[in-house]
Amino acid sequence: IDRKEEKQAKRQPAAEQAIRKEGWITPFEMNPGALEYGDKRAEMLGFLVEDANGLQTNTIEKGAEFTLKVRVQFHTKIEDPIFAFTVKDMRGTEITGTNTMFERITTPTGEDGDIYVVSYTQRADLQGGEYLVSFGLTGYSGGDFVVYHRLYDACSLVVVSSKNTVGFYDMNSEIAIQKEE
């Protein structure tokens, strides 16, 4: 590393440095305004957005399938971790998201050093526009809720559309018009 790269590495958030170190370099930059916190007994090393063809991009066509992937490393034994993501608009309104607890997904117990990749695949039924994606890694320890690592507003997601509807979500309505006799 030369001096210029060293200075740039010091300015990058810890999560972005880890992404680059581990080789998970996304084709777009991590949001410089991202909020990162947690006790890091487990942490997200990187994240990717892939289109339906497996291409890493943050621009998705409305109605197409896409996948969010998060690479997670455990630094201690954690039972029943909860993996999550949310999508919100640029004003900060949470629009959608899910987590492994809501989806009733049994998650593996993470042991010190274990690395997992969590994938969320869904259709982009959002209106055309720009959104922010957040990731979370939480759980319960001794009955208390614990935040292991959160990345709020980690990256943007752009949905391109040739047809919009009212609101945030496209219900994919089929419209029929009949003349009454």
Side-chain angles (χ1 to χ4, degrees), residues 14-130:
E16 188 172 353
Q17 289 180 41
I19 291 166
R20 294 187 187 289
K21 180 178 173 188
E22 297 296 326
W24 273 48
I25 300 172
T26 59
F28 49 96
E29 292 298 318
M30 183 166 158
N31 177 11
L35 174 62
E36 178 182 3
Y37 66 93
D39 69 14
K40 294 209 178 170
R41 286 185 271 172
E43 67 180 311
M44 293 173 276
L45 299 176
F47 56 86
L48 299 173
V49 180
E50 291 180 342
D51 67 12
N53 299 315
L55 180 69
Q56 295 177 22
T57 179
N58 70 330
T59 302
I60 306 297
E61 186 177 344
K62 180 178 173 180
E65 194 171 87
F66 73 102
T67 302
L68 300 169
K69 291 184 180 180
V70 182
R71 190 166 184 242
V72 176
Q73 182 172 24
F74 290 84
H75 300 297
T76 190
K77 182 177 181 177
I78 297 176
E79 294 180 12
D80 303 318
I82 300 169
F83 304 99
F85 83 92
T86 59
V87 177
K88 63 184 180 180
D89 67 12
M90 299 307 275
R91 293 183 202 133
T93 304
E94 278 193 349
I95 297 169
T96 190
T98 194
N99 67 47
T100 52
M101 185 177 73
F102 288 166
E103 301 292 335
R104 295 183 173 93
I105 303 293
T106 302
T107 55
T109 296
E111 300 286 344
D112 185 16
D114 286 350
I115 296 177
Y116 290 93
V117 175
V118 182
S119 299
Y120 308 92
T121 302
Q122 54 278 309
R123 275 185 23 170
D125 286 333
L126 295 166
Q127 296 295 14
E130 191 169 357

